[in-house]
Amino acid sequence: MKIRLRFRDISFDIVNYVLLALLGFITLYPFINLLAVSLNDPLDTVRGQVYFFPNKFTLDNFKIVFDDSALYMAGLRSILRTVVGTFLSVICTMMLAYTLTRKDFILRKSINLIMIVSMYVTGGIIPSYLLIKGLGLTNSFWVYILPGLIGVFNVIIMRTAMEGLPEGLIESARIEGANDFQVLFRIILPISLPVLATVTLFNSVGHWNSWFDNYLYNTRDNLNLLQYELMKILLQSTSQMVNNASSTGYVDSDAVKNVTPEAIRATMTVIVTFPILLVYPFLQKYFIKGALIGAVKE
Amino acid sequence: MSLSTSPRTSTKLFTKLRSQYQLLIMSVPFVVLLIIFSYIPLWGWLMAFQKYSPGKGIWKSPWVGFDNFVTLFHDERFFLVLRNTLVMSGLSLVTGFVGAILLALLLNEVRHSFFKRTIQTVTYIPHFVSMVVIANIVLTFLAPEGIINALLLKLGILNESVFIMGKGELFWFINTLVGLWKELGWSTIIYLAVLAGINPDLYEAADVDGAGRFQKMWNISIPSLMPTAIILLILSMGNIINIGYESQFLLGNPLNLDYSEVLDLYALNLSFGSGEYSVGVALGIFKSIVSLLIVITVNFIAKKSSGIRLF
C-alpha cells in the first residue's frame, strides 16, 4: 500500500515536472527562434528553417536596422518617452498617493471617489479622440505623457504600501517641523523603494510597449515610436501574405536583395523585446507584491 | 476674515485649506488631469443622440433621438461583430480561468523552489512583452513558410503550406491560444499567493488520514482557491463585452475580418472609416450599459449562491 502510494507520488512528480518544463519551453522558444533568425543570413532563412541556432551567423540584420535613420530616431523617441513618461508618472503618482494616506486631508474622500468611478466609467474611444484633438494634443509628443500620467491602479498600489509604513516615523518628522514635501521626499521615499520599483516597472513597460496612441493621434511620421514602426512592418508583411494567398505563383521580390522583410521583422522584434528582458528579472521580486496589492484591491 | 453668511464654518474651512495647501498642490493638478481625460469624454455620449459631423461639432450637430441606436440594431455587421466579441472573450475567460488555477495547482506541488521560481519567471515574461511583438511572433510562426507549416508538412498532416492567418475559421482558436500563452503565467500570481497562505496543518491532518495528493488538492487546495476565484470571475465577467482590441487589430487581416473584428474596432471603423461617428459612440454606450448590467447580475447571483460579493 505504502509503496504503491509512493510510486504514484513519484510518477505524479515526473509528469508534473515534464509538463511544467514543457510549458517553460513553449514560452521561451519563440524568443529563441526569433533571435536565431535575426542573427542568421536572410537568404539562408528563406531557403530553409532556422530552429535554435543561426545556420550562417551574421550581424548584418542589426546593422541594417540601426543604419535606418527613421528606425534609429523612433528608437530614441521610444527611450525618451519611456524615461520622461515614467519619471513624471512615478513622481506625480507618489504625490497623489501620499495625500490620500493623510486621514485629515480635506479632499481625501472626494479624490478617492473620483478615482474609483474613473476605473469603471469611460467615455469610449471616439469621445476620447475628439477630446484629445480638441485639446490640440494630436501630433504632439505630450499625447504620450499627459493622458496616462496618473494611473489609478498605481496610485492604489502606492497608497497601500505607504499606509503600511510605521506611523510614528512620519509623525515625529512632522513634529520636528518637516512640511509635507519634506516628509514625502526625505522620509517616505527612501523607505519605499520596493513599491517605487514596482510602479516604475509597470509604468516603463507600459510606455515602452505603447503604440495605439501613436497610431491614433500622431499621424505624422516625425513622432513615430519603435513599436509603431514594428507594427507598420507587421501590417506590411500581413498584407503581402494576404496578396500571395489570393494570387497564384508569386515571386518573393525582396529575396533578391540581401535583405528580407522576415529578417528585418525578426531583428526589430528582438530589439524591441530586449530591454524588457533585461530589466525584468531584477525587479521580479518587487512587482509580484505590487501585482497582489492591485489584485486584492481591485 | 470672510464675507460668507456663516463666518464660523467657512473660516474653519479656509484655515484648513490654508494649512493643507501643500497637500492641495500635490493632488489637485493630477485630479484635474484625471477629470479631463476620464470624465470629459462622457460629454461625448451626447453625440449618440445627434447626427454628428466633425465640421459642426457637438454644439451645432442636429439632434436625432434614438435613430443611431435603431441603425445599430438593424445592422447585420453589428451582430456579427458582437458574436466575435462574445465568443472570443468567452473562450479566453474559460481557458484563462481554468488554466491559471490548474497551473497554480501544479506549481504548488513542486518541491524544488529553484525549479518553481524558474518556471514562474519564464512564464511571466510574455505578460510584459508588447502585443506588437507577440503578433510578430504569431505571424512568423504561422506564415506559409513558417515553422508550424514546416512541422505539419513533415508530419504529413498538410500536403502544401497554407496561410494559417488567412483562415477565418481558425482565428478564434488562434487568438485564444495567443492570449493564453501571453497571460497564463501572470494570472497564477494571485492563486499562488492564496495557496501559500493555506494553513499547513490542514495538509498534515490529511496526511495522517492517508490522503493522496489528488485528494489533498481536491479537498484542500481547490476549496481554498474558490473565494478568490469567484471574485476574479465576477470582475472579469464585467469585461466580457469589453475585451481589448489590440490582438484582433494586429492579427486581423482582410481574409479573417469576419471572425476577427470586435466591437471597439468596428466602432473605430464606423467613425473614421465611414464617418458615422454617432453610430460609433452609440455602440460604445451599448457596451458600457451591457457590461454594467452583467456585473450587477453576476454579483447578485454570486451573493445569493455563495455569499461572496463585490459590492
Side-chain angles (χ1 to χ4, degrees):
Chain A
M1 176 70 185
K2 213 167 191 180
I3 293 167
R4 216 178 61 207
L5 260 181
R6 194 186 282 161
F7 173 73
R8 263 183 42 183
D9 234 30
I10 291 171
S11 47
F12 175 85
D13 269 339
I14 293 171
V15 172
N16 191 14
Y17 279 59
V18 169
L19 273 180
L20 290 175
L22 197 68
L23 182 71
F25 174 77
I26 293 172
T27 311
L28 271 189
Y29 180 68
F31 299 110
I32 297 170
N33 181 266
L34 278 181
L35 186 63
V37 171
S38 72
L39 291 172
N40 194 37
D41 180 53
L43 293 177
D44 180 78
T45 311
V46 173
R47 259 180 262 124
Q49 284 300 328
V50 175
Y51 293 102
F52 289 94
F53 302 103
N55 301 324
K56 279 170 88 177
F57 182 85
T58 173
L59 286 174
D60 285 354
N61 297 323
F62 284 90
K63 273 191 205 122
I64 289 167
V65 172
F66 284 120
D67 279 348
D68 186 320
S69 64
L71 294 182
Y72 185 76
M73 288 307 291
L76 288 185
R77 264 178 236 120
S78 284
I79 294 172
L80 188 70
R81 172 187 180 157
T82 307
V83 172
V84 173
T86 306
F87 178 76
L88 290 177
S89 272
V90 171
I91 298 269
C92 300
T93 308
M94 201 167 65
M95 291 202 272
L96 185 57
Y98 168 71
T99 65
L100 298 176
T101 62
R102 288 282 306 272
K103 300 231 158 44
D104 57 331
F105 180 38
I106 197 161
L107 293 179
R108 186 164 171 258
K109 277 194 183 139
S110 335
I111 294 177
N112 267 329
L113 187 71
I114 290 172
M115 285 195 337
I116 301 294
V117 173
S118 81
M119 283 174 95
Y120 290 97
V121 183
T122 53
I125 209 163
I126 289 135
S128 299
Y129 173 83
L130 293 173
L131 170 75
I132 283 181
K133 206 172 169 197
L135 292 172
L137 281 173
T138 43
N139 291 313
S140 93
F141 185 75
W142 292 104
V143 79
Y144 297 146
I145 312 280
L146 283 180
L149 187 71
I150 297 296
V152 172
F153 182 77
N154 290 329
V155 176
I156 292 173
I157 292 179
M158 271 212 190
R159 189 192 65 193
T160 311
M162 286 180 187
E163 279 168 351
L165 296 175
E167 229 165 275
L169 196 69
I170 294 151
E171 211 44 55
S172 57
R174 291 175 60 77
I175 288 165
E176 297 203 1
N179 65 34
D180 285 310
F181 284 98
Q182 286 166 331
V183 168
L184 177 60
F185 289 104
R186 298 252 174 86
I187 313 281
I188 294 183
L189 188 132
I191 51 172
S192 299
L193 293 181
V195 73
L196 278 177
T198 309
V199 174
T200 304
L201 177 83
F202 287 163
N203 261 310
S204 52
V205 168
H207 275 298
W208 181 257
N209 283 346
S210 289
W211 57 276
F212 200 72
D213 43 14
N214 189 174
Y215 165 77
L216 206 56
Y217 302 127
N218 286 341
T219 42
R220 286 182 212 143
D221 282 342
N222 60 353
L223 285 165
N224 284 353
L225 303 168
L226 208 52
Q227 299 279 355
Y228 181 72
E229 294 289 347
L230 182 59
M231 186 212 80
K232 282 201 302 196
I233 299 179
L234 170 82
L235 294 192
Q236 275 166 19
S237 293
T238 307
S239 71
Q240 198 183 356
M241 284 182 206
V242 168
N243 288 336
N244 290 341
S246 22
S247 67
T248 46
Y250 76 95
V251 187
D252 196 350
S253 57
D254 285 314
V256 182
K257 289 173 275 168
N258 194 24
V259 51
T260 61
E262 285 73 32
I264 295 299
R265 215 148 51 79
T267 310
M268 279 196 62
T269 309
V270 169
I271 293 172
V272 166
T273 316
F274 186 68
I276 291 195
L277 297 186
L278 200 69
V279 296
Y280 155 81
F282 301 103
L283 293 171
Q284 196 194 357
K285 66 174 176 194
Y286 298 126
F287 66 69
I288 290 181
K289 220 178 254 168
L292 282 173
I293 295 171
V296 173
K297 289 269 165 171
E298 211 171 356
Chain B
M1 206 174 167
S2 165
L3 297 172
S4 165
T5 43
S6 55
R8 275 189 62 196
T9 47
S10 74
T11 313
K12 235 169 107 186
L13 187 76
F14 186 71
T15 12
K16 200 159 188 194
L17 276 177
R18 249 184 69 163
S19 72
Q20 296 189 338
Y21 80 97
Q22 290 183 329
L23 293 177
L24 292 172
I25 294 173
M26 284 189 203
S27 60
V28 171
F30 312 128
V31 176
V32 170
L33 217 57
L34 207 63
I35 291 172
I36 291 176
F37 289 109
S38 299
Y39 289 89
I40 292 185
L42 291 174
W43 173 250
W45 277 21
L46 288 179
M47 286 164 61
F49 307 97
Q50 295 181 323
K51 180 139 190 54
Y52 178 85
S53 70
K56 290 182 189 146
I58 214 161
W59 297 106
K60 287 181 186 154
S61 293
W63 295 91
V64 295
F66 283 89
D67 279 8
N68 295 311
F69 289 92
V70 174
T71 313
L72 194 63
F73 294 132
H74 281 97
D75 178 5
E76 269 177 46
R77 185 90 198 157
F78 167 69
F79 290 100
L80 186 83
V81 170
L82 182 63
R83 175 202 70 177
N84 294 344
T85 309
L86 292 177
V87 169
M88 276 189 267
S89 64
L91 284 174
S92 63
L93 187 73
V94 172
T95 54
F97 201 61
V98 174
I101 292 178
L102 216 66
L103 180 58
L105 288 173
L106 291 184
L107 278 169
N108 194 47
E109 294 295 320
V110 173
R111 289 193 206 102
H112 301 90
S113 66
F114 176 76
F115 181 78
K116 186 177 168 184
R117 248 184 302 132
T118 310
I119 296 295
Q120 281 177 270
T121 307
V122 166
T123 52
Y124 295 167
I125 290 175
H127 173 78
F128 291 97
V129 174
S130 78
M131 202 55 225
V132 179
V133 165
I134 308 248
N136 266 303
I137 291 174
V138 174
L139 190 71
T140 309
F141 273 59
L142 298 183
E145 58 280 352
I147 222 162
I148 301 287
N149 262 302
L151 213 70
L152 293 176
L153 284 172
K154 233 177 222 169
L155 293 171
I157 298 172
L158 286 179
N159 296 323
E160 54 171 354
S161 61
V162 288
F163 179 40
I164 303 174
M165 291 312 297
K167 303 270 176 235
E169 322 82 76
L170 292 177
F171 187 85
W172 296 341
F173 177 69
I174 294 168
N175 186 68
T176 307
L177 273 186
V178 170
L180 198 62
W181 179 81
K182 188 168 175 1
E183 298 298 335
L184 183 63
W186 184 251
S187 56
T188 60
I189 288 186
I190 186 157
Y191 295 116
L192 284 171
V194 174
L195 287 172
I198 296 175
N199 187 349
D201 291 353
L202 287 174
Y203 289 109
E204 276 164 31
D207 281 334
V208 172
D209 290 342
R213 265 167 124 168
F214 286 106
Q215 282 172 310
K216 279 189 277 182
M217 241 190 236
W218 187 253
N219 292 312
I220 301 174
S221 305
I222 292 183
S224 314
L225 287 179
M226 272 307 129
T228 311
I230 290 172
I231 287 178
L232 290 183
L233 189 67
I234 297 174
L235 284 169
S236 47
M237 282 302 279
N239 283 329
I240 195 154
I241 202 166
N242 232 339
I243 52 171
Y245 42 80
E246 275 193 82
S247 74
Q248 287 84 0
F249 179 96
L250 295 169
L251 295 174
N253 63 50
L255 297 178
N256 63 24
L257 199 63
D258 282 353
Y259 296 87
S260 65
E261 196 168 33
V262 289
L263 288 172
D264 278 318
L265 294 180
Y266 188 50
L268 270 184
N269 236 335
L270 281 172
S271 305
F272 300 120
S274 349
E276 297 277 3
Y277 289 89
S278 291
V279 184
V281 176
L283 202 160
I285 294 177
F286 168 79
K287 248 182 54 183
S288 295
I289 291 173
V290 170
S291 68
L292 198 65
L293 287 179
I294 295 175
V295 173
I296 292 170
T297 314
V298 176
N299 188 52
F300 178 76
I301 294 170
K303 195 169 100 184
K304 284 271 163 192
S305 59
S306 62
I308 295 169
R309 65 196 177 92
L310 198 58
F311 45 82

